[in-house]
Structure formats: structure tokens, C-alpha cells
């Protein structure tokens, strides 16, 4: 249907409406119009009514097109601005939300457009490649994780600022070149993910921010939004009730009824809350203190998060002489020609950082080789491998036959450590890319159960870890050693080495470590896990080779 035909159809519908609005007797007596000028003159009146209806229609369409132009300009500016990388978790969240929710709302709101069918067909063709709702939930949980670990202020996050607020002190953890603020609908979706999990500790501040933003823009229509002020008030009121704050629940429910006075369910809730407050021993109910959920039941959570927020409490090198920097040769001809800078980070456990272990080109090539094979990272659970919430990343395994450069990398690791890094005495190179707020909570690299899948290699437990940082990050992502009480920031192209087992073969409990959540940045690492068999005459007699 062309523009003229579509307009004619609209006018025909409006004409019917206009005639129905007139005098039924006169309409019934009407015959043809062209046979008398007086009939033509009489036709001017319904057309004026049609013009009034069409003016209202066009104003509505203009408002819709202005809103679509606003949405287009907003998204286009993000694609054209190179300073808005998806490594910013706020941008990453809103990208997933746009593709999972906003675009769907935009596409299915264009019912008046001639191009709607082509747009819908095109959308359906790419729909299977778009993030699922589970991705939206995961991105929301990632923002809550960053909020917790780095003590971020929700109001600041909604403005695009990464700020830690402790009392009256405000600390900027990261200053983006451009602030990217969240909308009321964005905040509502984050809050609703927590709400649906019964997590009112996180739901309430995000829903409060959603309510605040919706209040400020009340009456404005945004095509892509799913939620409204009423939705946010409804969820926030019930969240407060579930958290034990009946007074706030009542106040928000009353506000809801100002916008939707005919809602019987909310009216019943108001009566219920009023009754509870009247029956209570103290009508002025104090605000309930909501405890943060500790879903994984981490006993070391406070230490872990404290180390993520800072660089731990390790002494500086000039205070302990045994912590030093040097050029490593390990009596290897390979390293004599090209020594590597070594920094002794810690003694118990013994942790060493090798600077510039790989070049930019090597790091980029490793990432490129792994990217097509990345799958959700898993952890050992008995004899099974399962994806878990406390490890958010994707990983791939690279055999050294994939590229000659990986063989060179193995030779370099063997020269530095003096260990046999060929299968079955070591695993293939594992390459890991962390997601939004990607992390790996405190864990051991070595097996702690005799049924662990690690023993399938028939080469014993993991005696050592060699971890290469293949990228830099702008904030977060440190490697924290919990019982050692220190953390190592991401150092691009450097490699971290430590022993997982004592010489007796027992696991070293001090190697409990974690990958802190990535606050801003695209974190890539490569792990080479070396097993104990085949290393009997290669490992130094002392835990500290320098002793």
C-alpha cells in the first residue's frame, strides 16, 4: 500500500467516524453529493471534523517520529563515539538491554509505518543472534556484583559515575571520558531482576532510582520503554513490605493510587498496610535494616572484597629485601639471549610476576586463536564440570599444534620455570575472556578432591600455575590471594607464576586466590597448568629458588 492509498484509507475510516458522529436522520436521507452544489457545501462540515481528527493523528505521528529520531540519535552516537567501549559495564548492560528489550519495543511499535513488515522480517532474521533474556538477567546481576565488591553508589552508577561512598567520603574509582547515564527503565530492569530473586537488598536502591527518574520524566513517552512510574512504585512498595518497612510500602502505595486510582489490588494493599501500622506497638515503624545476601556463603568475602578494592597489604619492596626485581636467565641459553624482568611479589605463597613475558602481537594472536572457540567457563563439581554464578567468563583450550607461536610460548615457559610443560605433564593453554563484571571467586587451582576431573590426565595434581595477562583493564580485575593478604593488578603482557602444592604433594592453602570482578575493561588471561608428575627432578628443592 503506497502513501496515497494509505492516506485514503485513513481518511475513509475518519469519514465513517465523522458521519457516525452526525445526525442519523440526516445521514439516512443523504443521497449523492455531486448532483447539487448544496450537497457539496454540506460536505465541508464533515471534512472539517476529519481535518481535526487528522491533525490529532499527525501530531501523534510527529511525536512518535521525534521519539524514534531521539532513540536513533542516542544509539548512533554510541556507535560513532570511539570513547564509549563496551568494556564499561554500564554500556555493556545497556547494549544487551537494547538488543533484548528496547529494539523489540521499537520494532513492534511502528504499526503505522509502511516499512513495518520489512523491519519485522529483518528483525526476525537476526533475532536468534540477539541476547536472550537470561543475558539481560546476567548483565543486571553483574552490575549488582560490582556495586557490592567495589561499594559503588547506585545513584552514581545511574549517572554514569563509578563512585565509592563511605559515610560522607566519595571516591572516584574510575572516571570515564563521557558519562553515560541510565534511564528509569534501565534501573527498573536491574531492580526487577533482584526483586524476582527475592533479593530486596539490591532491588530497593535500584527501584528507588527508577522511581526518581520516572518522576522526573512523568508524562513523557518513550517507545522503547517497558516500565512506567506505576510499575516502579508497585514493585518498590512490595519490596519495602517484604523487607519489613510497612511505612514506606504504605507511602509508595498511596502515591501509586494518585496515578492509577482504580487499581483495586493496590487499594487493598493500602488498607492492609494501614491496618498493620495501626495494630503495631509503635506506629512510627523504624526503617528496617536489610542484610546483604551472601548467596555463595563465602567465609572469606570481606577479605576478598577488601583486596579487590585495594592492592592488599603486601609491604613495599624496599621494606623487605627478599622482595626484589631482577632479570631472569635461569641458566637457560634461551634466556641468556633474551632475559625477562622478574618481580618477586610474595614469599608465602611464593608468587612471581614476569614483566613483558609476551609481546602485544603475541597476546593479540592468542586472543584471536581462542575467540572462535570460547564457551562458558565451568568448574569441577564432583566428577562433573558445571557453569556457576561465581565464575563468569568464557574460555577455550588451545593445543600447541594450532600455531607455531604456541610452541614458542611453551619453550619460554619451560625455560623460565625449569618444568616440563608438554602433555601429559601440563594441560593445553586455557584462554579466558571475562564478561560484564567478570570474576572468579576464591578458589584453588589444584584439586582438593580425589574424584576431581583433573586426575583424568594420569599426571597427578596441578603443581604450578603460569597465568599470562593478555590485555590491560581500566579498573578492577586484580588477582587476589586471600590468605596471603595481597593482590596483583592486571599488568598487560606480564605473567604470574606460583606453586600450588608443597613438595610433599599437599595443597598449599595459602594459594587460595580469586579473580576480582572487572570494573571497566576487557580482561583476557591465558593459563598454563603444570602437573606434578614429570617434575620430580625439575622443581627446586626450596620453595624459594633464591634461598
Amino acid at each position: 500500500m503506497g502513501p496515497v492509498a494509505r492516506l485514503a484509507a485513513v481518511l475513509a475510516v475518519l469519514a465513517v467516524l465523522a458521519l457516525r458522529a452526525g445526525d442519523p436522520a440526516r445521514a439516512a436521507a443523504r443521497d449523492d453529493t455531486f448532483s447539487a452544489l448544496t450537497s457539496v457545501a454540506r460536505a465541508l462540515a464533515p471534512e472539517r471534523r476529519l481535518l481535526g481528527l487528522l491533525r490529532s493523528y499527525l501530531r501523534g505521528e510527529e511525536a512518535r517520529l521525534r521519539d524514534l529520531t531521539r532513540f536513533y540519535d542516542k544509539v548512533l552516537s554510541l556507535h560513532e563515539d570511539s570513547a564509549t567501549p563496551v568494556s564499561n559495564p554500564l554500556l555493556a548492560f545497556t547494549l544487551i538491554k537494547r538488543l533484548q528489550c528496547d529494539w523489540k519495543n521499537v520494532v513492534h511499535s511502528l504499526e503505522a509505518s509502511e516499512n513495518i513488515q520489512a523491519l519485522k522480517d529483518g528483525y526476525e532474521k537476526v533475532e536468534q543472534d540477539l541476547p536472550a533474556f537470561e543475558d539481560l538477567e546476567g548483565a543486571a546481576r553483574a552490575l549488582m556484583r560490582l556495586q557490592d565488591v567495589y561499594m559503588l553508589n547506585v545513584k552514581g552508577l545511574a549517572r554514569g559515575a563509578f563512585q565509592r561512598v563511605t559515610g560522607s567520603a566519595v571516591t572516584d574509582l574510575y572516571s570515564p571520558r563521557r558519562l553515560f547515564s541510565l534511564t528509569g527503565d534501565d534501573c527498573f530492569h536491574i531492580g526487577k531482576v533482584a526483586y524476582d530473586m527475592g533479593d530486596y537488598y539490591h532491588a530497593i536502591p535500584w527501584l528507588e532510582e527508577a522511581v526518581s527518574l520516572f518522576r522526573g520524566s512523568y508524562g513523557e513517552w518513550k517507545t522503547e520503554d517497558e516500565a512506567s512510574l506505576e510499575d516502579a512504585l508497585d514493585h518498590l512498595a512490595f519490596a519495602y513490605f517484604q523487607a519489613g518497612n510497612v511505612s514506606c510500602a504504605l507511602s509508595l502505595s498511596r502515591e501509586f493510587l494518585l496515578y492509577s486510582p482504580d487499581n483495586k489490588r493496590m487499594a487493598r494493599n493500602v488498607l492492609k498496610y494501614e491496618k498493620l501500622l495501626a495494630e503495631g506497638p509503635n506506629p512510627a515503624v523504624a526503617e528496617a535494616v536489610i542484610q546483604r545476601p551472601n548467596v555463595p556463603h563465602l567465609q572469606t568475602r570481606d577479605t576478598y572484597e577488601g583486596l579487590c578494592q585495594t592492592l592488599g597489604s603486601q609491604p613495599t619492596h624496599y621494606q623487605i629485601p627478599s622482595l626484589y626485581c631482577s632479570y631472569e636467565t635461569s641458566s637457560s641459553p634461551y634466556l641468556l639471549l633474551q632475559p625477562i624482568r622478574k618481580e618477586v611479589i610474595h614469599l608465602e605463597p611464593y608468587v612471581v610476576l614476569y614483566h613483558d613475558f609476551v609481546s602485544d602481537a603475541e597476546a593479540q594472536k592468542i586472543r584471536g586463536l581462542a575467540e572462535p572457540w570460547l564457551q562458558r567457563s565451568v568448574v569441577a563439581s564432583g566428577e562433573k564440570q558445571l557453569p556457576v554464578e561465581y565464575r563468569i567468563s568464557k574460555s577455550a583450550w588451545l593445543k600447541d599444534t594450532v600455531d607455531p607461536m604456541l610452541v614458542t610460548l611453551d619453550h619460554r615457559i619451560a625455560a623460565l620455570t625449569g618444568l616440563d610443560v608438554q602433555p601429559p605433564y601440563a594441560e593445553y593453554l586455557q584462554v579466558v575472556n571475562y564478561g560484564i563484571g567478570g570474576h572468579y571467586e576464591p578458589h584453588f587451582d589444584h584439586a582438593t578432591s580425589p574424584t576431581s576431573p583433573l586426575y583424568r590426565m594420569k599426571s597427578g595434581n596441578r603443581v604450578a600455575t603460569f597465568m599470562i595477562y593478555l590485555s590491560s583493564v581500566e579498573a578492577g580485575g586484580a588477582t587476589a590471594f586471600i590468605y596471603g593478604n595481597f593482590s596483583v593488578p592486571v599488568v598487560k603482557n606480564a605473567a604470574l607464576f606460583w606453586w600450588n602444592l608443597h613438595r610433599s604433594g599437599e595443597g598449599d592453602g595459602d594459594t587460595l586466590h580469586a579473580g576480582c570482578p572487572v570494573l571497566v575493561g576487557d580482561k583476557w588471561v591465558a593459563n598454563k597448568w603444570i602437573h606434578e608428575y614429570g617434575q620430580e627432578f625439575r622443581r627446586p628443592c626450596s620453595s624459594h629458588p633464591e634461598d
Side-chain angles (χ1 to χ4, degrees):
M1 182 182 290
V4 175
R6 188 170 67 252
L7 180 59
V10 172
L11 290 174
V13 173
L14 294 175
V16 172
L17 294 174
L19 290 172
R20 286 177 178 174
D23 184 347
R26 290 175 61 185
R30 185 179 300 110
D31 51 10
D32 62 76
T33 301
F34 70 90
S35 62
L37 288 179
T38 187
S39 297
V40 175
R42 286 198 300 267
L44 291 173
E47 186 174 50
R48 282 192 291 269
R49 291 196 293 273
L50 284 174
L51 285 172
L53 292 170
L54 184 58
R55 182 176 63 246
S56 298
Y57 172 80
L58 289 173
R59 285 175 176 171
E61 278 297 281
E62 288 168 355
R64 184 178 67 84
L65 290 173
R66 282 196 302 272
D67 188 61
L68 287 174
T69 301
R70 172 199 58 78
F71 177 75
Y72 171 83
D73 290 339
K74 179 181 78 170
V75 178
L76 180 64
S77 69
L78 295 175
H79 284 261
E80 292 179 338
D81 190 348
S82 60
T84 56
V86 294
S87 57
N88 182 322
L90 298 177
L91 291 175
F93 168 79
T94 54
L95 170 63
I96 288 179
K97 177 178 173 287
R98 281 199 308 275
L99 293 175
Q100 211 285 318
C101 296
D102 296 0
W103 274 103
K104 187 186 303 180
N105 294 333
V106 168
V107 167
H108 293 288
S109 75
L110 301 178
E111 301 299 335
S113 171
E114 184 181 18
N115 297 322
I116 182 60
Q117 194 57 52
L119 182 60
K120 284 184 176 180
D121 290 344
Y123 177 82
E124 289 173 359
K125 288 179 181 178
V126 301
E127 192 170 13
Q128 62 181 2
D129 298 324
L130 301 183
F133 180 70
E134 290 76 16
D135 294 301
L136 179 62
E137 288 183 317
R141 287 196 297 269
L143 290 179
M144 294 178 227
R145 183 184 316 123
L146 295 174
Q147 170 192 346
D148 289 341
V149 173
Y150 296 106
M151 300 174 66
L152 298 177
N153 176 262
V154 170
K155 281 192 173 294
L157 280 174
R159 296 195 312 272
F162 296 83
Q163 296 176 323
R164 180 189 302 149
V165 178
T166 50
S168 59
V170 179
T171 305
D172 286 319
L173 298 184
Y174 170 71
S175 299
R177 292 176 58 188
R178 174 186 173 189
L179 290 180
F180 183 86
S181 58
L182 299 177
T183 66
D185 194 62
D186 295 334
C187 295
F188 175 81
H189 271 78
I190 299 170
K192 190 173 184 302
V193 168
Y195 177 96
D196 289 342
M197 296 189 299
D199 174 10
Y200 304 114
Y201 174 88
H202 291 105
I204 287 174
W206 284 106
L207 291 173
E208 280 183 335
E209 193 60 26
V211 165
S212 175
L213 291 169
F214 278 132
R215 282 172 179 156
S217 61
Y218 189 75
E220 296 179 10
W221 174 58
K222 293 183 179 178
T223 307
E224 70 271 21
D225 283 0
E226 285 188 10
S228 64
L229 174 59
E230 290 90 330
D231 293 323
L233 287 169
D234 187 5
H235 285 78
L236 182 58
F238 191 72
Y240 266 122
F241 171 70
Q242 290 293 94
N245 194 328
V246 182
S247 180
C248 278
L250 175 59
S251 176
L252 292 163
S253 300
R254 285 172 173 168
E255 182 180 353
F256 177 98
L257 288 175
L258 294 177
Y259 302 103
S260 184
D262 298 329
N263 190 296
K264 295 181 180 179
R265 176 180 58 81
M266 191 60 72
R268 289 195 297 270
N269 284 350
V270 166
L271 293 175
K272 171 182 169 182
Y273 299 152
E274 288 175 339
K275 183 178 180 181
L276 286 172
L277 289 174
E279 292 174 350
N282 181 8
V285 177
E287 188 171 322
V289 177
I290 309 169
Q291 296 296 323
R292 171 186 161 191
N294 187 8
V295 177
H297 307 290
L298 268 181
Q299 295 180 348
T300 59
R301 186 176 73 177
D302 292 343
T303 303
Y304 157 59
E305 293 180 356
L307 290 170
C308 290
Q309 294 162 16
T310 67
L311 291 181
S313 59
Q314 72 267 36
T316 54
H317 288 186
Y318 66 85
Q319 290 176 317
I320 296 184
S322 55
L323 300 181
Y324 62 92
C325 295
S326 67
Y327 278 97
E328 179 66 53
T329 63
S330 298
S331 301
S332 165
Y334 181 95
L335 296 175
L336 285 172
L337 295 173
Q338 191 176 6
I340 292 178
R341 288 187 298 152
K342 179 176 77 172
E343 179 182 356
V344 180
I345 298 291
H346 206 265
L347 297 180
E348 295 290 346
Y350 181 72
V351 178
V352 176
L353 186 70
Y354 295 107
H355 291 266
D356 298 317
F357 177 76
V358 293
S359 66
D360 287 341
E362 288 173 326
Q364 184 176 355
K365 187 162 191 177
I366 294 170
R367 296 197 302 266
L369 291 171
E371 191 167 358
W373 306 101
L374 289 174
Q375 294 183 330
R376 176 68 186 269
S377 296
V378 295
V379 300
S381 177
E383 297 183 4
K384 296 181 180 179
Q385 302 272 335
L386 300 173
V388 289
E389 181 67 18
Y390 60 82
R391 186 184 187 187
I392 301 297
S393 62
K394 287 187 176 181
S395 55
W397 298 88
L398 297 180
K399 296 182 179 181
D400 57 8
T401 54
V402 170
D403 192 276
M405 186 267 292
L406 297 179
V407 177
T408 301
L409 192 71
D410 278 350
H411 290 162
R412 200 178 302 160
I413 296 173
L416 268 176
T417 62
L419 302 175
D420 189 341
V421 298
Q422 296 302 309
Y425 305 119
E427 298 172 39
Y428 296 124
L429 190 71
Q430 184 198 56
V431 183
V432 183
N433 184 218
Y434 288 79
I436 307 170
H439 71 143
Y440 193 173
E441 287 183 354
H443 63 281
F444 294 106
D445 280 356
H446 61 273
T448 56
S449 166
T451 60
S452 169
L454 289 180
Y455 290 108
R456 292 174 187 168
M457 290 182 65
K458 308 298 183 182
S459 55
N461 210 338
R462 288 172 174 170
V463 68
T465 294
F466 198 93
M467 183 175 72
I468 309 166
Y469 294 115
L470 299 175
S471 67
S472 60
V473 298
E474 296 177 76
T479 304
F481 286 82
I482 311 305
Y483 296 133
N485 195 33
F486 69 98
S487 59
V488 183
V490 175
V491 180
K492 185 182 180 183
N493 297 344
L496 205 60
F497 173 80
W498 68 88
W499 298 104
N500 294 306
L501 306 180
H502 294 295
R503 290 196 60 81
S504 64
E506 294 296 319
D508 185 348
D510 287 339
T511 62
L512 183 73
H513 64 286
C516 295
V518 180
L519 185 57
V520 182
D522 184 17
K523 182 183 176 183
W524 288 78
V525 301
N527 294 305
K528 190 71 171 180
W529 284 302
I530 305 163
H531 283 236
E532 56 186 327
Y533 297 169
Q535 320 300 342
E536 292 87 346
F537 302 104
R538 293 176 177 268
R539 180 175 180 175
C541 294
S542 170
S543 297
H544 313 146
E546 290 75 19
D547 290 353

